[in-house]
C-alpha cells in the first residue's frame, strides 16, 4: 500500500520555542518588569535597528501591527485632519482599512497595478487630484511582502501635502539593498511579527522610521499618551509589547537571515515550475519575504474546484485577499468606494500556495505538479454561448442610468424592473461616470443629492445616510453647491448599492462593456455589446432599450458656430478650447499653461448656458493673473436668475419677468431657465441686483447680431477663447433608423421616447440624461416661456426616471397579458 503524501499546510507557525528560552524568561522574572517598554523590548528594538535596518533611524516594538498602524496614522494626520480620507490599495488585508477607521479616517481604496499587485500609481494620482485636501494620508501596502518605491511616496507627500504610513506587515525579511525594506524611511513603516509571518513570534509588531523623534512620540502614544510621568499629553492607547513576546522576538533575530534564504529557495522553485497561464508578481531584485506563495489562476478557472483538487493531495491553500477591501461588508459601509477592476479580477483568481519554514524546493515542485494536474482537468467556469436575452437593456450606468434605477426604487418598482434588466456601463462600476472628474461645484444643492438616499425603501441604500460620502456632501448644505468630486463619491457608492439590488433580483450588471450598435426587428432589439477587456462582441436581445449615455461637446458644433456673422473658428484662430476641458480636474492648470506667455491675459467665454457661467466662476477661482475686464462673457439670450417666488424677486428689485416666466406648479420664477447657486450668484452680481457688485475681472457682452463688430473684436483679441455652447447627446447608432438627435434636434419627446428623424417615437426606445432634450410638462411644472431642455439629476431620479420605468413595466405587463 502506498503511503499517503506528507501534508503541506498553507501556513505552519514556527515561532521560537518558549520551552527553550528558560534563561531569558528567568531574566524577565528577575527584573520584575513584564511590559511598559521593559529591558527585553528595548533590547530587541536596538538589535532590530542594528541587524535589520543597518543602524538607521529607530525602531519601536508594539503589541501588534494593526495597533502600530493606528497610532502611526493618528500621529501623522493630527487632530485637525481627522475625518478625512486615507488612500490605500483595495487589494490588502482588512486591518489596513480598520486601522485608518480607528484613527478617525475614511478608507479610500484604489485599484492596483496588474503587474506587481501594489497600488496603481495612476489610480493614486487620479484620486489625489480628484479629492485634493480631503485626503489626509496615503497608506501604501507592500503586497505580500514585496518592496515598493518609497521615494515615490516621499514625492507624493511633498507635492500633495499628505501624510504617509506604510503597511509593510508581511515585509520583515524583505531586502532592499543590504538592509530590510523601509530602512531609514522618512515616515513610519509598520511590520507584523504575528505567528503566521516569516518573522514569527506569537503576536507583535514593529514600527521603523528614519526620524527618531517620530518613534519617540509613538512610544509615548503606545503608553496611553503619557508624555510626562502618569500624565497624558497626547492621544494614546495601550499598544506596548509584553516582555515575554520581546524574548521570542530577540530569539527570532538569531538565524533569521539564513531562514529567509531557505524560504527564498522554495519561492524560486515555485516560480520555475508553475503551470502555464498562472500569473505571479515579478521576481524581486533582492529578496521578498513570503508567508505563502501567491499566484493568479488563468482567467475563467473554477478556483473552488482547484482548491478541492489540491486538498485531495494533502496540499493546503488559501485566497489572500479574496474578498478585497471593497468587497467586505463592513468596510463597504464605511469606505469611500471607487472602481477597482484589477483588484476585482485578482480577488476572483488569487490562490495562495504553502510556503513554510519546513518546506523544501522539492515540496514546491510537488505542489506545482498537483496544480498542473488540477488545471489540466479543465476546471474552468462555464461559458454561456449564443445571444443573451433580456427584457430591457439600459445603455449607460452613469448619473442618468443610475437615476433611472433610483427613481424606480423610490417608487417601489426596482425589484420588478430588475427581473430581465441588463444595465451596460463602459466603466468598471455604476455611479458617477465622468461626473466626479469635474473640478467645479454643482448647480444643485447638497439636499438635492441627499434626497436620493433619504427614507429610501431599500435598507441598504437608506443606510448610506450615515456613510462618509453622504456626510461629506451634507457638509455643503450651507454652501453654493457641492464640489462634483464629492458628489461623484456619493454617486459611486449609491451606484454600487443599486447594482447589488439589481443583481439580487435577477438583473445583469455588465460593467466594462460598451454598446456598438442596435437594430430593431419585429421581435424587439438586437444590441451588439463589446467587452472591453478582450474586445469580444456579443449580441444581446431585449424588448425595450433605454439610452442613458450622457452628452458631449462635438467638434462639428464648433465648425458651424458663428459669432456676429463670422465662424467662431476663424475668429479664434487656434486659440479655441471647449468648456468641458476647462471644467475637468486639471482644466484650469491647462488654461494657465496656455496663457503662460501672456502678461495680462484676456479670455473670451462664448455662451449663455450654465457651463458658460460655471467656466467663468472656475477661471476666477483658478489663481490666474487676471486684471480688470480680463474675462468677457459673450452671450445672446438674457441672463436669468432663479427665484423661489415672484415676491422674492421683487423684494430684491428684480422685475424682468412676466407671468409666462413663473412655474404654475411651484411658483418659481425661471424654474428651468434660471441660473442657480454659484452661477446664480455670479449672474446677480453681473446684473447688479439688490446692490450687488460685479467682480471687476469680469465683463459681459450681449451679442447684438451679425453686425456686432465689438463681439468680433473681443474674440479676436482674446488670448484664449472658451466655447461653452452646451452639450449634445451620445446617441447610440441605430441601424437603419435616422434619429432626430442626429440632426441636432431633441433626442426625446415629453414621454422620454426617442424620436426618429420624422418626429415620431421609435417603438420601445427611451432616453434619459444630459442633452436628451427633455422638457417638463403638466404636473412636472416649468415656466410656459421655457424653450430649452431640462438637465437635472433630481428630475431624472424622480419624475423622469419613474416615467420610463412605468412605461417599460406597463409594456411588459401588456406582453404577458397577450
Amino acid at each position: 500500500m502506498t503511503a499517503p503524501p506528507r501534508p503541506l499546510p498553507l501556513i505552519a507557525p514556527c515561532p521560537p520555542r518558549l520551552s527553550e528560552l528558560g534563561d531569558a524568561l528567568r531574566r524577565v522574572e528577575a527584573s520584575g518588569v513584564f511590559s511598559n517598554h521593559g529591558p527585553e523590548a528595548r533590547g530587541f528594538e536596538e538589535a532590530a535597528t542594528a541587524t535589520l535596518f543597518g543602524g538607521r533611524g529607530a525602531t519601536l516594538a508594539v503589541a501588534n501591527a494593526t495597533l502600530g498602524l493606528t497610532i502611526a496614522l493618528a500621529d501623522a494626520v493630527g487632530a485637525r485632519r481627522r475625518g478625512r480620507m486615507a488612500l490605500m490599495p483595495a487589494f490588502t488585508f482588512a486591518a489596513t482599512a480598520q486601522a485608518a477607521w480607528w484613527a478617525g479616517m475614511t478608507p479610500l481604496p484604489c485599484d492596483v497595478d496588474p503587474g506587481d499587485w501594489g497600488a496603481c500609481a495612476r489610480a493614486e494620482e487620479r484620486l489625489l487630484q480628484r479629492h485634493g485636501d480631503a485626503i489626509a494620508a496615503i497608506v501604501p501596502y507592500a503586497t505580500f511582502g514585496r518592496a515598493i518605491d518609497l521615494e515615490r511616496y516621499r514625492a507624493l507627500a511633498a507635492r500633495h501635502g499628505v501624510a504617509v504610513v506604510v503597511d509593510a506587515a508581511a515585509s520583515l525579511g524583505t531586502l532592499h539593498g543590504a538592509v530590510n525594506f523601509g530602512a531609514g524611511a522618512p515616515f513610519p513603516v509598520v511590520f507584523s511579527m504575528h505567528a503566521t509571518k516569516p518573522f514569527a513570534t506569537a503576536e507583535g509588531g514593529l514600527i521603523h522610521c528614519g526620524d527618531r523623534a517620530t518613534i519617540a512620540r509613538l512610544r509615548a502614544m503606545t503608553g496611553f499618551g503619557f508624555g510626562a510621568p502618569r500624565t497624558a499629553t497626547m492621544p494614546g492607547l495601550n499598544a506596548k509589547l509584553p516582555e515575554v513576546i520581546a524574548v521570542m522576538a530577540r530569539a527570532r533575530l538569531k538565524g533569521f537571515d539564513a531562514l529567509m534564504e531557505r524560504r527564498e529557495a522554495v519561492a524560486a522553485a515555485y516560480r520555475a515550475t508553475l503551470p502555464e497561464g498562472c500569473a505571479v508578481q515579478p521576481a524581486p531584485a533582492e529578496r521578498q519575504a513570503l508567508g505563502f506563495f501567491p499566484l493568479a489562476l488563468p482567467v475563467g478557472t473554477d478556483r473552488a474546484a482547484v482548491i478541492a483538487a489540491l486538498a485531495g493531495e494533502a496540499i493546503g491553500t488559501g485566497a489572500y485577499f479574496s474578498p478585497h477591501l471593497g468587497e467586505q461588508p463592513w468596510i463597504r459601509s464605511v469606505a469611500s468606494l471607487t472602481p477597482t477592476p484589477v483588484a476585482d479580477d485578482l480577488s476572483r483568481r488569487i490562490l495562495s500556495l504553502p510556503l513554510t519554514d519546513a518546506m523544501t524546493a522539492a515540496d514546491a515542485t510537488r505542489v506545482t505538479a498537483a496544480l498542473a494536474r488540477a488545471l489540466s482537468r479543465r476546471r474552468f467556469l462555464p461559458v454561456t454561448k449564443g445571444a443573451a436575452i433580456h427584457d430591457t437593456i439600459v445603455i449607460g450606468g452613469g448619473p442618468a442610468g443610475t437615476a433611472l434605477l433610483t427613481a424606480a426604487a423610490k417608487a417601489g418598482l426596482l425589484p420588478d424592473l430588475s427581473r430581465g434588466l441588463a444595465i451596460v456601463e463602459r466603466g468598471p462600476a455604476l455611479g458617477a461616470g465622468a461626473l466626479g472628474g469635474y473640478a467645479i461645484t454643482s448647480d444643485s444643492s447638497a439636499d438635492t443629492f441627499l434626497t436620493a438616499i433619504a427614507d429610501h425603501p431599500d435598507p441598504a441604500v437608506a443606510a448610506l445616510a450615515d456613510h462618509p460620502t453622504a456626510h461629506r456632501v451634507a457638509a455643503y448644505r450651507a454652501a453654493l453647491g457641492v464640489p462634483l468630486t464629492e458628489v461623484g463619491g456619493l454617486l459611486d457608492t449609491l451606484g454600487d448599492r443599486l447594482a447589488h439590488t439589481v443583481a439580487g433580483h435577477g438583473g445583469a450588471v455588465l460593467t466594462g462593456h460598451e454598446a456598438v450598435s442596435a437594430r430593431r426587428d419585429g421581435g424587439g432589439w438586437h444590441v451588439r455589446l463589446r467587452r472591453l477587456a478582450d474586445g469580444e462582441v456579443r449580441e444581446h436581445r431585449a424588448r425595450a432599450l433605454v439610452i442613458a449615455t450622457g452628452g458631449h461637446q462635438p467638434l462639428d458644433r464648433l465648425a458651424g458656430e458663428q459669432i456676429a456673422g463670422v465662424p467662431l473658428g476663424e475668429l479664434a484662430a487656434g486659440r479655441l478650447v471647449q468648456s468641458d476641458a476647462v471644467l475637468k480636474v486639471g482644466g484650469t492648470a491647462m488654461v494657465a499653461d496656455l496663457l503662460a506667455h501672456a502678461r495680462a491675459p484676456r479670455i473670451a467665454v462664448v455662451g449663455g448656458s450654465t457651463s458658460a457661467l460655471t467656466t467663468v466662476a472656475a477661471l476666477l477661482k483658478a489663481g490666474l493673473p487676471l486684471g480688470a475686464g480680463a474675462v468677457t462673457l459673450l452671450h445672446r439670450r438674457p441672463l436669468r436668475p432663479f427665484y423661489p417666488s415672484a415676491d422674492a424677486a421683487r423684494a430684491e428689485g428684480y422685475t424682468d419677468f412676466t407671468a409666462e416666466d413663473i412655474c404654475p406648479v411651484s411658483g418659481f420664477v425661471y424654474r428651468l431657465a434660471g441660473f442657480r447657486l454659484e452661477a446664480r450668484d455670479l449672474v446677480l452680481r453681473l446684473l447688479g441686483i439688490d446692490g450687488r457688485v460685479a467682480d471687476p475681472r469680469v465683463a459681459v457682452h450681449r451679442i447684438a447680431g451679425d453686425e456686432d463688430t465689438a463681439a468680433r473684436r473681443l474674440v479676436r483679441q482674446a488670448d484664449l477663447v472658451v466655447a461653452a455652447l452646451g452639450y449634445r447627446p451620445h446617441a447610440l447608432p441605430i441601424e437603419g433608423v435616422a434619429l432626430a438627435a442626429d440632426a441636432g434636434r431633441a433626442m426625446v419627446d415629453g414621454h422620454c421616447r426617442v424620436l426618429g428623424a420624422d418626429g415620431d417615437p421609435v417603438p420601445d426606445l427611451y432616453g434619459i440624461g444630459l442633452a436628451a432634450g427633455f422638457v417638463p410638462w403638466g404636473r412636472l411644472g416649468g415656466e410656459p416661456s421655457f424653450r430649452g431642455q431640462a438637465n437635472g439629476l433630481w428630475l431624472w431620479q424622480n419624475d423622469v426616471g419613474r416615467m420610463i420605468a412605468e412605461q417599460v413595466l406597463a409594456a411588459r405587463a401588456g406582453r404577458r397579458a397577450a
Side-chain angles (χ1 to χ4, degrees):
M1 176 179 290
T2 304
R6 178 172 65 91
L8 294 175
L10 174 63
I11 296 172
C14 191
R17 295 175 178 273
L18 283 171
S19 59
E20 298 174 358
L21 301 175
D23 289 344
L25 294 176
R26 281 186 287 273
R27 190 168 64 235
V28 171
E29 292 174 339
S31 74
V33 178
F34 295 90
S35 185
N36 294 344
H37 307 296
E40 296 299 325
R42 290 285 192 150
F44 165 63
E45 291 168 354
E46 292 171 4
T49 300
T51 60
L52 296 176
F53 302 106
R56 304 179 191 175
T59 306
L60 171 65
V62 291
N64 59 64
T66 304
L67 287 174
L69 280 173
T70 303
I71 63 168
L73 281 167
D75 174 68
V77 303
R80 289 180 299 171
R81 303 196 68 183
R82 293 169 68 84
R84 299 294 188 177
M85 291 184 282
L87 176 60
M88 62 190 64
F91 197 65
T92 185
F93 190 52
T96 315
Q98 295 273 12
W101 188 83
W102 282 109
M105 287 178 283
T106 298
L108 175 63
C110 73
D111 209 359
V112 295
D113 189 279
D116 62 17
W117 307 344
C120 173
R122 264 195 298 182
E124 288 176 322
E125 286 281 5
R126 185 167 58 249
L127 289 171
L128 286 165
Q129 289 288 340
R130 173 173 168 176
H131 293 289
D133 62 6
I135 295 177
I138 309 176
V139 193
Y141 171 59
T143 313
F144 301 134
R146 182 179 175 81
I148 57 177
D149 183 0
L150 297 185
E151 186 57 39
R152 185 171 72 83
Y153 287 103
R154 187 203 305 263
L156 287 177
R159 182 149 40 92
H160 295 281
V162 295
V164 175
V165 174
V166 180
D167 181 350
S171 300
L172 272 180
T174 292
L175 294 182
H176 183 68
V179 294
N180 202 95
F181 162 70
F187 29 68
V189 183
V190 183
F191 303 89
S192 173
M193 303 188 302
H194 189 269
T196 59
K197 296 293 189 288
F199 194 97
T201 60
E203 183 60 277
L206 203 61
I207 307 175
H208 175 77
C209 184
D211 179 25
R212 292 176 178 270
T214 296
I215 293 297
R217 201 166 52 250
L218 295 178
R219 186 180 302 281
M221 291 179 72
T222 64
F224 308 104
F226 287 173
R230 311 298 295 176
T231 304
T233 61
M234 63 186 74
L237 40 70
N238 185 2
K240 303 181 296 292
L241 185 74
E243 287 288 88
V244 171
I245 304 300
V247 166
M248 299 177 71
R250 293 183 77 169
R252 191 60 168 177
L253 278 173
K254 298 174 182 177
F256 180 61
D257 194 62
L259 172 66
M260 291 306 301
E261 290 299 323
R262 293 198 300 273
R263 293 177 72 100
E264 178 62 21
V266 178
Y270 268 127
R271 294 188 186 97
T273 59
L274 277 177
E276 186 177 354
C278 295
V280 296
Q281 292 177 292
E286 282 96 12
R287 187 178 70 199
Q288 179 177 350
L290 286 169
F292 46 79
F293 190 84
L295 61 88
L297 292 166
V299 175
T301 302
D302 186 340
R303 182 174 60 190
V306 172
I307 289 173
L310 293 178
E313 300 197 36
I315 297 170
T317 56
Y320 295 93
F321 302 103
S322 179
H324 65 65
L325 292 186
E327 296 170 332
Q328 302 203 27
W330 180 82
I331 293 172
R332 286 165 52 81
S333 73
V334 301
S336 181
L337 299 177
T338 61
T340 55
V342 178
D344 297 346
D345 177 63
L346 267 177
S347 179
R348 290 188 293 267
R349 298 167 52 206
I350 200 71
L351 182 69
S352 308
L353 300 179
L355 203 169
T356 66
D357 289 354
M359 283 181 62
T360 66
D363 291 326
T365 303
R366 171 188 154 193
V367 174
T368 55
L371 177 60
R373 286 191 292 274
L375 293 175
S376 69
R377 295 170 194 150
R378 304 300 297 173
R379 297 181 180 277
F380 293 95
L381 298 171
V383 177
T384 303
K385 302 294 184 182
I389 309 297
H390 313 280
D391 181 86
T392 305
I393 296 177
V394 178
I395 307 296
T402 54
L404 168 61
L405 303 182
T406 297
K410 285 184 172 184
L413 304 175
L414 187 55
D416 285 343
L417 184 66
S418 297
R419 299 181 185 98
L421 177 71
I423 183 162
V424 180
E425 166 56 29
R426 199 178 193 281
L430 306 189
L435 187 71
Y438 286 87
I440 56 175
T441 57
S442 66
D443 60 356
S444 298
S445 67
D447 285 320
T448 298
F449 296 111
L450 293 172
T451 57
I453 58 178
D455 301 319
H456 201 282
D458 185 339
V461 175
L464 292 180
D466 291 324
H467 194 276
T469 55
H471 290 320
R472 287 200 294 276
V473 170
Y476 290 89
R477 278 196 163 111
L480 293 176
V482 186
L484 290 184
T485 53
E486 300 289 12
V487 173
L490 178 61
L491 292 183
D492 283 339
T493 307
L494 175 60
D496 179 74
R497 298 291 170 92
L498 292 170
H500 276 74
T501 299
V502 169
H505 287 91
V509 180
L510 303 175
T511 54
H513 286 71
E514 65 179 0
V516 178
S517 64
R519 62 181 175 84
R520 180 174 172 78
D521 62 18
W525 290 97
H526 300 252
V527 184
R528 299 175 71 235
L529 300 182
R530 177 188 291 116
R531 187 168 59 199
L532 300 179
D534 56 13
E536 178 187 272
V537 176
R538 185 180 175 198
E539 183 174 276
H540 291 245
R541 297 178 186 172
R543 291 286 186 176
L545 190 60
V546 181
I547 300 175
T549 46
H552 66 136
Q553 293 183 331
L555 290 175
D556 62 352
R557 175 72 183 273
L558 297 181
E561 187 69 20
Q562 293 196 344
I563 301 296
V566 179
L568 176 59
E570 179 182 325
L571 290 173
R575 294 165 286 114
L576 184 62
V577 298
Q578 300 216 64
S579 60
D580 198 63
V582 176
L583 299 177
K584 287 181 177 176
V585 171
T588 54
M590 173 198 70
V591 170
D593 288 341
L594 293 173
L595 296 176
H597 67 284
R599 296 184 62 184
R602 307 192 72 82
I603 305 171
V605 179
V606 179
S609 63
T610 296
S611 60
L613 272 297
T614 304
T615 297
V616 172
L619 293 171
L620 296 178
K621 293 186 292 185
L624 300 169
L626 303 177
V631 180
T632 301
L633 176 69
L634 295 98
H635 64 100
R636 292 189 177 90
R637 297 189 300 273
L639 302 176
R640 306 295 195 191
F642 163 85
Y643 275 97
S645 69
D647 288 343
R650 295 189 188 101
E652 289 197 345
Y654 183 77
T655 58
D656 190 11
F657 62 93
T658 69
E660 290 290 294
D661 303 317
I662 301 174
C663 170
V665 175
S666 64
F668 295 164
V669 178
Y670 294 121
R671 175 184 175 184
L672 301 177
F675 293 104
R676 301 192 181 217
L677 298 177
E678 188 175 47
R680 176 181 184 270
D681 183 68
L682 181 58
V683 167
L684 291 174
R685 291 179 182 278
L686 291 173
L687 298 179
I689 301 299
D690 199 29
R692 292 175 174 87
V693 178
D695 190 310
R697 295 172 294 174
V698 184
V700 180
H701 182 90
R702 187 173 177 186
I703 302 171
D706 288 350
E707 303 304 320
D708 190 341
T709 57
R712 297 177 197 165
R713 183 179 67 256
L714 287 167
V715 176
R716 283 198 177 105
Q717 293 178 351
D719 298 292
L720 185 71
V721 180
V722 182
L725 304 175
Y727 292 81
R728 287 182 178 172
H730 276 298
L732 176 69
I734 307 294
E735 296 178 13
V737 178
L739 301 181
D742 298 334
R745 305 200 305 273
M747 185 171 76
V748 302
D749 65 6
H751 298 276
C752 296
R753 300 174 299 187
V754 174
L755 298 172
D758 58 4
D760 293 331
V762 180
D764 299 312
L765 182 61
Y766 305 90
I768 183 174
L770 182 64
F774 177 77
V775 179
W777 57 280
R779 66 179 180 83
L780 275 65
E783 62 269 25
S785 62
F786 182 66
R787 294 294 180 269
Q789 55 175 293
N791 293 309
L793 190 61
W794 186 90
L795 195 63
W796 303 340
Q797 290 177 337
N798 290 275
D799 297 307
V800 172
R802 180 169 181 170
M803 181 188 300
I804 295 175
E806 287 177 342
Q807 290 179 86
V808 167
L809 291 173
R812 186 187 299 178
R815 288 192 296 270
R816 288 172 180 168

